[in-house]
Amino acid sequence: MSEIILTIEELDPVELYGEHDAKLNLLREAFPEVTITSRGNYLKISGESKKHTQNAKARLELMVRSLKKYKKLTIQDVQEIVNGENPFASRVVETQNNIILYTREGKPIRAKTANQQKLVDTVEANDIVFAIGPAGTGKTYTAVAMAVKALKNRIVKKIILTRPAVEAGESLGFLPGDLKDKVDPYLRPLYDALDDMMPADKINHFIGNRTIEVAPLAFMRGRTLDNAFIILDEAQNTTIPQLKMFLTRIGPSAQAIITGDMTQIDLPRHQRSGLGYALDALENVKGIGVAHLNSSDVVRHRLVKAIINAFEELDSNEQERREERKAKKKKEDKKS
């Protein structure tokens, strides 16, 4: 028989256990071989096997350390912990120094992971930044927060938010309304981020006087974008000429963030993504920075991370099979 008694200090037991022991019950379900009993600040873990009690203790200690360090512990965090993951491995400690700005409700917006903080640091050190990573990693949201901060601090006079209006399985022509009505759904994620950071009447005022401009990429042609913070979102869906056109619009007092996910290209198969081309071509240009994010930076539902990892693994396996088929065909061609 193995028995471990733990004393929970400097923490509210309800924060650790959850209301009605919801968090503790997740631990109990994950380790049915042990019995976990709570008495206020005391916890007893008992079971037949020392291995099982030690494993349960290790998960519980990670919950305690995380709550002490980050001041919060969600049900989703506990689910990942009991599954053997460490959801805090890439998380940054929240301080006053890493607050980007405040939402319209007064909540701080800050980088939540180490890679998001690298994105913020890269933007502060470069005039043009490429933010590359899968869905849910906070690329667009962080970029919009940086743009709003620059506008509030009067570093720039306007914000320009743009996206290529590329059809992802739907036809733009069949959408109802005029051109603005047809294009707005493609720009909705940018509006959503703005909605978090500014009151609706202020957004409408800024859009009305063109302090904030939200437009499809095609509308950038022929312009010089200066004294502005410019965000090109979903850049993986630009062609090479489109991205070159956008980059050559940037004026001397402007700053730009180009975001994209190279695993979600909706261009026709014969067209190369302008984003991939630009990353290769501009790799060594001073003043241009690149920030990479990955599944560890996902801040959406816990399953999003699992979905991204599953797709990446399948893509990797298919790529290996394609390479094997190519090598086999090459070998057969040599024989013939």
Side-chain angles (χ1 to χ4, degrees):
M1 184 74 176
S2 174
E3 186 175 284
I4 300 170
I5 297 176
L6 298 172
T7 304
I8 308 302
E9 298 176 339
E10 303 172 12
L11 286 177
D12 179 356
V14 176
E15 289 290 320
L16 180 65
Y17 305 156
E19 289 201 16
H20 308 297
D21 282 358
K23 298 173 190 175
L24 201 57
N25 287 338
L26 288 173
L27 195 63
R28 288 172 175 142
E29 289 170 14
F31 296 94
E33 306 89 353
V34 303
T35 301
I36 303 174
T37 310
S38 61
R39 293 274 192 281
N41 285 11
Y42 293 92
L43 266 175
K44 183 169 78 170
I45 304 172
S46 56
E48 294 297 324
S49 165
K50 185 177 180 181
K51 179 183 176 182
H52 290 146
T53 56
Q54 288 293 338
N55 283 342
K57 178 192 172 203
R59 300 291 193 279
L60 187 62
E61 286 178 338
L62 181 54
M63 289 166 59
V64 170
R65 286 199 305 273
S66 301
L67 185 53
K68 283 183 177 179
K69 187 172 182 179
Y70 300 105
K71 310 303 179 189
K72 66 178 180 180
L73 183 73
T74 66
I75 290 288
Q76 184 169 318
D77 292 334
V78 177
Q79 285 173 327
E80 293 187 16
I81 288 170
V82 299
N83 287 334
E85 301 176 45
N86 181 356
F88 311 98
S90 62
R91 187 175 291 182
V92 294
V93 178
E94 296 181 353
T95 67
Q96 287 296 117
N97 293 334
N98 62 15
I99 294 174
I100 302 170
L101 77 159
Y102 292 88
T103 67
R104 59 184 183 181
E105 288 89 15
K107 294 180 180 178
I109 297 174
R110 49 163 58 93
K112 294 183 178 179
T113 69
N115 285 333
Q116 286 181 6
Q117 186 60 53
K118 283 180 185 175
L119 171 56
V120 172
D121 295 341
T122 305
V123 170
E124 290 177 346
N126 297 274
D127 290 331
I128 298 174
V129 171
F130 290 88
I132 312 300
T137 52
K139 305 182 301 296
T140 300
Y141 194 84
T142 303
V144 173
M146 295 293 288
V148 173
K149 177 184 178 182
L151 182 66
K152 286 186 173 182
N153 292 342
R154 303 191 178 186
I155 297 169
V156 297
K157 292 182 179 178
K158 67 186 302 181
I159 295 172
I160 299 173
L161 307 174
T162 186
R163 266 183 153 203
V166 174
E167 299 168 3
E170 300 87 9
S171 177
L172 187 62
F174 286 104
L175 292 173
D178 59 18
L179 179 61
K180 183 180 184 301
D181 295 327
K182 291 175 187 292
V183 166
D184 270 1
Y186 289 88
L187 305 170
R188 190 70 252 169
L190 299 170
Y191 285 116
D192 289 343
L194 281 175
D195 285 342
D196 262 8
M197 300 169 201
M198 290 182 179
D201 57 344
K202 196 163 189 177
I203 294 172
N204 292 331
H205 172 70
F206 280 156
I207 290 175
N209 67 13
R210 301 181 69 81
T211 299
I212 295 178
E213 183 179 347
V214 187
L217 179 60
F219 287 23
M220 301 298 113
R221 190 173 298 278
R223 300 176 59 186
T224 298
L225 310 174
D226 201 16
N227 292 310
F229 200 113
I230 314 150
I231 298 172
L232 170 57
D233 198 32
E234 298 287 340
Q236 76 275 3
N237 288 327
T238 60
T239 62
I240 295 171
Q242 282 177 328
L243 191 51
K244 182 182 177 183
M245 176 274 291
F246 170 78
L247 291 170
T248 54
R249 300 304 93 205
I250 298 170
S253 299
Q255 191 163 12
I257 301 179
I258 299 98
T259 73
D261 175 4
M262 293 303 295
T263 68
Q264 292 191 352
I265 297 173
D266 299 312
L267 294 169
R269 286 186 178 274
H270 66 275
Q271 282 189 325
R272 184 178 177 186
S273 168
L275 179 59
Y277 185 90
L279 288 171
D280 291 339
L282 305 174
E283 185 179 7
N284 298 314
V285 177
K286 287 184 179 179
I288 296 179
V290 181
H292 289 278
L293 299 99
N294 54 49
S295 61
S296 67
D297 301 297
V298 170
V299 290
R300 294 180 182 170
H301 191 284
R302 65 183 179 85
L303 288 177
V304 173
K305 185 187 295 186
I307 290 166
I308 290 169
N309 288 335
F311 272 78
E312 286 179 350
E313 184 178 351
L314 183 59
D315 286 344
S316 176
N317 291 339
E318 288 184 349
Q319 180 65 31
E320 285 180 11
R321 285 195 289 271
R322 281 194 294 270
E323 293 298 328
E324 286 173 4
R325 285 196 295 269
K326 281 182 185 177
K328 186 178 179 182
K329 188 175 184 303
K330 194 173 180 181
K331 200 173 181 180
E332 287 172 351
D333 288 345
K334 279 185 179 179
K335 284 182 180 179
S336 59

